[in-house]
Amino acid sequence: MRKLIQGTVVIFLLALNLPAGAQSENLLTTGDMESEGWTAVPRSTDLVCTFEAGSGFNSTTSLKSVTTNMGVDNYYIIRCEEEFHLDEYDQVTFSFRAKASQDGMRLQSWIQEADGLEFMNIGDAYLTTEWQLYTFTVVISTQTSDLYKFKYRGYQTGTLEIDDVQISYGVFQGVPQSDIYAVSAEQNGAIQSLEVFRHACPEFSLGYQGMVSKDQKPLGLFAGRTINWAKITVDEPVIVQVTITDTDQVPVSGQTVRILPSRYGVTATTTGNVVTFTITEPAQYSVEIGENGYKNGLLIFADPPETDIPAQSNPDYLVLDSATMADVSSIPGNYSGIYFKKGIHDIGVYHIPYNIKNIYFEDGSWVYGSLIMDGKPDVRIFGRGVLSSARLDYRESHSVEAINGSNNITIEGLVVADPKYFAVRLIGQYNNVSYTKIVGGWVYNCDGIAAYKGSTVSKCFIWANDDAIKVYRDSITWSDIVVWVLENGAVIQTSWGGAVGGSTSKGIKISRVDVLRAEWDNPGFASALLSTVGNRYQIPGKSDLLQNWIIEDVVTENPVPLIFKITPDTYTHCHIEGMTLKNWDVKMPMGTSFINQIKGEDPDKFFSGFVFDHVRFNGELLTDINYITGGDMENGGWEAVPGTSNQVVNLAAGIGVDGTTGLKSVVTNMGQEDHYMIKRAQNFKPNRADNVLISFMAKANILGTSLDMGVIDQENSEWVDFGSVSLTGEWSRYNITATSLLDTTVDYQLHFRAHNVNTAIYLDDVKIGPPDWLYQTAMETRYLETPQFLPEYVNPNTAIRNRSFDMNTARIYPNPAANVINIRGVDGDTRIDIYSITGKMVISGKGDRVDVSSLDPGLYMLVTGKGQKMKFMKE
């Protein structure tokens, strides 16, 4: 049996005179050519191989092959007779020096084993007339065997010279390497090979490394999936070349290739199975090939150059090579730093002692274990290495944790791989996390990054199967974060209920969040782009206050199942006062079991100060535009058009939604016509003729009462039909959309038309305009004050700002107010106190109307003598 394995070269360097990567012991003892051990296999050629002292690299012995006649064959073989062991999936580096009698002579390296007679091509070198170093690093795709031999094929007549042949395991021996992608990077004409690592979803096995039953679902859901990654240093443009070596797992032919995040504007070209693109700045990139390529995705982590690599001779640092748990647990107290050299270390769960303030990961270091700081402040963890929890039990330890006064922690440049619990959990204050990449966690509780009061998190990549961005205390800044969430948790988690005795998260700024994917498969209690869980587990005494947040420049690169789930548990208070969403461009499928929700938890303290500033949802700008005023039925302006009926229309307090003012139309005699109408006697011109929504609350005294919606063209007196609804005996919201309305230069009036006799029809909260934010998002709300929308809409029909509001939540009107506010449900003797957002009383008096013209614009709280609390916005 002969099995040819092609396309398996993972990374390579050709003729660059660059040093080979760090290597372990050479698997060949005869590779130096000093003791022969190589055989010519000429086939029909006249190949002759000799060993010539002094002719090799640096005047050592080299192997010299001479061929003057190829006979009937197109190649000949040079074979090393030494046998060695290789395992399938090993990463192995093959390197040698060679030159030829003429430029361009082809020398192909390959291996063959005697058990199954499988062979694998390693790579082609095209020689020059000068000594050059050739290096190929591959993942072994042939079978495990003790009987491998290394060979060359030559294809032309002439002279070849070979020296310094090495076969060795790479620095990352035992670390899984990608068998799907090969990546190289070119800067200034030099091609740099990149290690490509692979994290495969593990198989569920109850009890293995502490797996529990709840791990079965995610591991079953993601079975067969991998995530692959490589990292580079970028200080000038880099040409990245990705070779897809397994096109069965990731088909590339005819597929669209995207380099995300899209904000960087990176585009790719594809030639065969090779994808090429240019990176110009440090960031975290994802290569998405076709519709399903993400299931074996490739990430490119581009770091800035290191500027402060500690010297290994620095007496403050203990330099560790292949460190163990015993090594790090016995570091003398005179050292303040640890230097992990490139290579594999295994330190277990390491509790950092007080004397250690700096932990450096050399580029090429792979440290198995975790780092715990308990009452240990001012620790810096930095470098370009990898911290992996792969050898820890599930939920045995967070990958990096700082607790109990461990403040001022810095994490910079690290890859945190294979988390089995939280990746970065910094519960102290004033921390700094940058260029930290989290990848390879598959089970629940694999949260991303938590950094508490006064912390800064920037330029990070977070792969999580729980909450990714955790923001729980004051004055925290996040920026340039790329997120990939699996089946569980939120992209941005704003509260888990606070702390016993109360906590706050004030003055939060989150900027430039790019969501690659969120793979929630069911509507969990936290599964949303923006989530507020609150005190879900009902711990007595916990409470929280979120105040003055801005979350800006948020993009979903692929639609995610849910955007909003702000639903703090009502067990204890979790108030939100002031949250601005600015420059969002987010997408989600509609009509699924995932429902957008924004629900405050306190009927006496509404979620206030919510602002949509240029937020696009499924491509549409969220607004609350209403072409008409008076839809709240508080101030008249509605008329009966009885025709021949005896219709009577009244606006009366107490008959609207939640006991507010509503409209009631009663007909007991139709006369000769078959219909009557209710109209808003106000002309309007639509500013968008292709998509207009009528939204209203309605009910009737007779189940099944039909109500038609439409507009009257005031120029031609023509009825434009929007459709009909069948009313029930309970208040319900109805949304009817008309497309291709009419000429936008025409004046219209809004009309409702009914046909039933002996019927009472009730209307409230009527809006007409482009589909508003509630309709577009199918949002469920509760205890939410009317959001503000930017850019503010100026109604061309009334020349006033139109900020209509949901009557379910409004008890002050108008709101926002310019001069006077009215308060429903109180009498003229009721005490009224108005407070600023800082708690200062600014107005005090009695009555159900208050002059607020003297107040500065902003948010205020009105408190009645009965203890009622209501917020309003002063324009």
Side-chain angles (χ1 to χ4, degrees):
M1 171 184 177
R2 292 176 61 84
K3 179 182 178 184
L4 174 62
I5 310 297
Q6 295 181 322
T8 52
V9 177
V10 173
I11 50 181
F12 55 89
L13 282 170
L14 294 181
L16 294 176
N17 277 326
L18 299 177
Q23 295 178 337
S24 55
E25 182 179 357
N26 192 355
L27 299 181
L28 294 182
T29 61
T30 58
D32 57 6
M33 303 303 176
E34 302 296 324
S35 53
E36 301 187 1
W38 293 73
T39 300
V41 184
R43 309 181 76 199
S44 66
T45 73
D46 63 353
L47 168 70
V48 175
C49 290
T50 58
F51 295 88
E52 295 198 2
S55 66
F57 184 73
N58 288 336
S59 301
T60 59
T61 299
S62 70
L63 182 151
K64 181 178 182 180
S65 79
V66 178
T67 307
T68 61
N69 189 330
M70 295 296 295
V72 296
D73 286 313
N74 59 1
Y75 68 89
Y76 47 86
I77 296 172
I78 303 166
R79 182 176 67 212
C80 179
E81 298 299 344
E82 189 173 357
E83 294 176 334
F84 56 92
H85 174 89
L86 290 176
D87 288 312
E88 186 178 7
Y89 303 120
D90 272 345
Q91 183 196 48
V92 181
T93 297
F94 297 79
S95 68
F96 57 91
R97 299 183 187 274
K99 66 177 182 176
S101 56
Q102 58 187 10
D103 286 341
M105 288 187 67
R106 178 186 177 192
L107 183 63
Q108 183 180 65
S109 53
W110 55 295
I111 54 174
Q112 185 171 10
E113 55 82 33
D115 288 329
L117 295 179
E118 295 184 3
F119 69 87
M120 174 179 170
N121 290 333
I122 302 303
D124 284 339
Y126 291 89
L127 309 185
T128 70
T129 56
E130 301 294 332
W131 284 110
Q132 302 282 0
L133 174 67
Y134 301 87
T135 300
F136 302 85
T137 299
V138 303
V139 174
I140 300 301
S141 54
T142 46
Q143 68 183 36
T144 298
S145 175
D146 291 319
L147 303 176
Y148 274 99
K149 287 187 177 181
F150 182 65
K151 306 178 184 183
Y152 290 105
R153 296 187 188 95
Y155 291 87
Q156 293 107 353
T157 59
T159 300
L160 302 174
E161 294 185 67
I162 302 170
D163 200 358
D164 292 342
V165 181
Q166 293 192 42
I167 304 175
S168 57
Y169 296 114
V171 172
F172 301 104
Q173 176 62 19
V175 176
Q177 306 290 314
S178 177
D179 57 351
I180 300 174
Y181 299 101
V183 181
S184 65
E186 181 179 347
Q187 295 187 76
N188 292 325
I191 301 174
Q192 176 189 2
S193 60
L194 305 181
E195 305 278 356
V196 186
F197 300 102
R198 172 179 61 90
H199 302 272
C201 177
E203 293 183 8
F204 175 73
S205 177
L206 187 63
Y208 172 71
Q209 288 192 334
M211 279 189 189
V212 295
S213 57
K214 71 177 181 179
D215 297 327
Q216 185 169 8
K217 182 185 176 184
L219 296 185
L221 188 65
F222 302 115
R225 295 243 323 242
T226 66
I227 186 67
N228 306 262
W229 61 272
K231 62 186 182 71
I232 56 177
T233 298
V234 174
D235 58 353
E236 56 187 51
V238 177
I239 300 172
V240 178
Q241 187 175 89
V242 176
T243 302
I244 296 84
T245 59
D246 190 336
T247 55
D248 290 331
Q249 292 193 72
V250 181
V252 64
S253 178
Q255 301 296 315
T256 299
V257 178
R258 297 187 298 160
I259 311 300
L260 304 176
S262 57
R263 73 173 69 244
Y264 295 111
V266 179
T267 58
T269 59
T270 303
T271 304
N273 65 331
V274 178
V275 174
T276 304
F277 54 93
T278 299
I279 291 174
T280 60
E281 60 184 299
Q284 322 306 331
Y285 300 91
S286 176
V287 182
E288 289 209 355
I289 301 173
E291 183 177 351
N292 293 307
Y294 74 94
K295 294 180 180 179
N296 290 286
L298 174 66
L299 305 169
I300 305 294
F301 301 143
D303 292 320
E306 293 185 82
T307 58
D308 55 352
I309 300 174
Q312 294 189 31
S313 59
N314 187 330
D316 294 331
Y317 281 83
L318 177 63
V319 179
L320 295 175
D321 191 354
S322 303
T324 65
M325 187 183 303
D327 293 329
V328 295
S329 63
S330 59
I331 295 175
N334 60 305
Y335 288 105
S336 62
I338 299 173
Y339 188 119
F340 288 111
K341 291 183 65 176
K342 65 177 58 178
I344 305 298
H345 307 258
D346 192 349
I347 64 172
V349 179
Y350 178 46
H351 291 265
I352 298 171
Y354 195 81
N355 58 296
I356 298 299
K357 297 299 182 183
N358 294 285
I359 301 178
Y360 178 70
F361 285 69
E362 184 180 13
D363 195 5
S365 62
W366 190 287
V367 180
Y368 288 106
S370 65
L371 301 175
I372 308 299
M373 291 151 280
D374 189 345
K376 306 297 190 299
D378 306 312
V379 176
R380 183 185 184 205
I381 304 166
F382 65 113
R384 295 295 183 268
V386 178
L387 177 67
S388 169
S389 295
R391 295 180 179 176
L392 300 180
D393 285 349
Y394 288 88
R395 302 169 191 88
E396 176 183 357
S397 173
H398 307 298
S399 296
V400 181
E401 183 178 42
I403 56 176
N404 297 327
S406 298
N407 303 325
N408 300 303
I409 305 302
T410 296
I411 304 174
E412 188 270 324
L414 237 59
V415 175
V416 179
D418 311 297
K420 301 288 185 64
Y421 211 175
F422 286 28
V424 177
R425 185 174 185 263
L426 307 181
I427 308 303
Q429 303 179 2
Y430 307 110
N431 308 295
N432 190 301
V433 183
S434 63
Y435 287 101
T436 298
K437 288 78 62 177
I438 299 165
V439 63
W442 296 94
V443 300
Y444 301 143
N445 308 119
C446 287
D447 294 66
I449 298 176
Y452 272 31
K453 181 178 180 179
S455 296
T456 299
V457 183
S458 63
K459 296 286 187 180
C460 293
F461 173 82
I462 301 174
W463 163 288
N465 200 2
D466 216 312
D467 299 330
I469 297 172
K470 302 166 76 70
V471 193
Y472 295 161
R473 294 296 184 270
D474 296 347
S475 305
I476 305 174
T477 300
W478 294 71
S479 60
D480 300 292
I481 310 297
V482 182
V483 178
W484 186 331
V485 176
L486 297 182
E487 189 229 349
N488 185 45
V491 174
I492 301 172
Q493 182 58 256
T494 64
S495 176
W496 207 264
V500 174
S503 64
T504 61
S505 53
K506 301 179 180 179
I508 304 299
K509 187 171 184 179
I510 303 174
S511 304
R512 296 179 300 282
V513 176
D514 297 294
V515 184
L516 299 181
R517 291 188 177 273
E519 301 186 52
W520 307 306
D521 68 332
N522 64 77
F525 61 85
S527 298
L529 193 158
L530 184 61
S531 170
T532 306
V533 170
N535 192 3
R536 173 179 173 80
Y537 295 104
Q538 301 187 351
I539 299 173
K542 288 183 71 172
S543 66
D544 207 359
L545 170 64
L546 285 63
Q547 194 172 76
N548 299 329
W549 285 52
I550 181 168
I551 308 174
E552 60 184 354
D553 298 318
V554 175
V555 175
T556 55
E557 296 290 359
N558 296 282
V560 302
L562 188 64
I563 304 299
F564 300 104
K565 198 170 185 67
I566 301 175
T567 55
D569 193 277
T570 58
Y571 182 73
T572 54
H573 292 313
C574 180
H575 299 313
I576 306 176
E577 298 177 357
M579 179 174 285
T580 296
L581 311 184
K582 182 177 182 179
N583 297 334
W584 282 38
D585 187 358
V586 295
K587 298 178 176 64
M588 68 171 277
M590 303 303 291
T592 71
S593 57
F594 289 85
I595 304 297
N596 286 305
Q597 295 176 309
I598 301 178
K599 295 184 174 183
E601 43 75 27
D602 186 349
D604 294 321
K605 193 170 185 179
F606 283 21
F607 175 3
S608 61
F610 194 60
V611 178
F612 289 97
D613 184 352
H614 289 83
V615 173
R616 291 195 173 275
F617 181 92
N618 286 340
E620 296 291 333
L621 186 68
L622 294 186
T623 70
D624 203 26
I625 294 172
N626 194 354
Y627 292 153
I628 63 171
T629 58
D632 55 10
M633 305 300 176
E634 302 292 333
N635 298 306
W638 290 83
E639 300 176 5
V641 185
T644 60
S645 75
N646 66 345
Q647 177 194 25
V648 176
V649 167
N650 289 313
L651 272 69
I655 65 170
V657 176
D658 289 341
T660 62
T661 297
L663 180 150
K664 180 180 181 181
S665 169
V666 177
V667 171
T668 59
N669 189 328
M670 292 294 297
Q672 291 77 41
E673 296 185 34
D674 66 348
H675 71 273
Y676 51 91
M677 289 193 288
I678 307 161
K679 77 172 184 178
R680 172 63 181 171
Q682 176 185 358
N683 291 348
F684 67 90
K685 293 182 174 70
N687 66 0
R688 182 164 65 168
D690 60 345
N691 199 6
V692 176
L693 172 78
I694 297 178
S695 177
F696 58 94
M697 300 289 288
K699 67 177 181 176
N701 67 331
I702 298 176
L703 185 68
T705 295
S706 177
L707 186 65
D708 304 335
M709 285 72 61
V711 295
I712 298 292
D713 173 355
Q714 294 297 94
E715 189 174 284
N716 301 309
S717 299
E718 294 180 356
W719 169 270
V720 181
D721 187 18
F722 274 40
S724 179
V725 297
S726 181
L727 305 182
T728 70
E730 302 294 333
W731 284 111
S732 298
R733 177 165 293 281
Y734 299 92
N735 296 291
I736 305 295
T737 301
T739 58
S740 301
L741 182 55
L742 286 178
D743 189 337
T744 58
T745 64
V746 173
D747 284 328
Y748 298 96
Q749 285 187 358
L750 175 62
H751 287 57
F752 293 89
R753 185 168 61 188
H755 308 269
N756 301 76
V757 71
N758 297 322
T759 301
I761 294 173
Y762 298 82
L763 288 174
D764 201 354
D765 194 18
V766 181
K767 304 175 184 179
I768 183 167
D772 70 3
W773 73 288
L774 289 168
Y775 179 80
Q776 289 187 44
T777 62
M779 184 77 72
E780 293 181 356
T781 65
R782 181 185 64 200
Y783 309 146
L784 169 67
E785 289 197 352
T786 306
Q788 181 180 357
F789 294 86
L790 300 175
E792 291 184 326
Y793 169 65
V794 178
N795 193 326
N797 308 291
T798 62
I800 63 171
R801 285 191 179 91
N802 185 344
R803 295 174 181 156
S804 62
F805 55 93
D806 190 336
M807 292 300 296
N808 286 313
T809 63
R811 292 159 295 166
I812 294 176
Y813 67 95
N815 186 4
N819 297 305
V820 175
I821 59 172
N822 302 280
I823 307 104
R824 292 191 301 271
V826 301
D827 56 36
D829 293 326
T830 302
R831 178 180 175 84
I832 301 295
D833 296 318
I834 296 178
Y835 296 85
S836 71
I837 196 67
T838 63
K840 179 181 178 182
M841 182 185 292
V842 292
I843 292 178
S844 182
K846 290 184 178 182
D848 58 358
R849 285 172 58 88
V850 181
D851 184 349
V852 295
S853 59
S854 63
L855 297 181
D856 293 330
L859 183 67
Y860 292 86
M861 171 73 76
L862 183 149
V863 181
T864 73
K866 299 178 181 179
Q868 298 164 301
K869 298 176 182 178
M870 296 168 270
K871 288 187 183 154
F872 69 96
M873 184 71 71
K874 168 64 170 62
E875 291 186 312

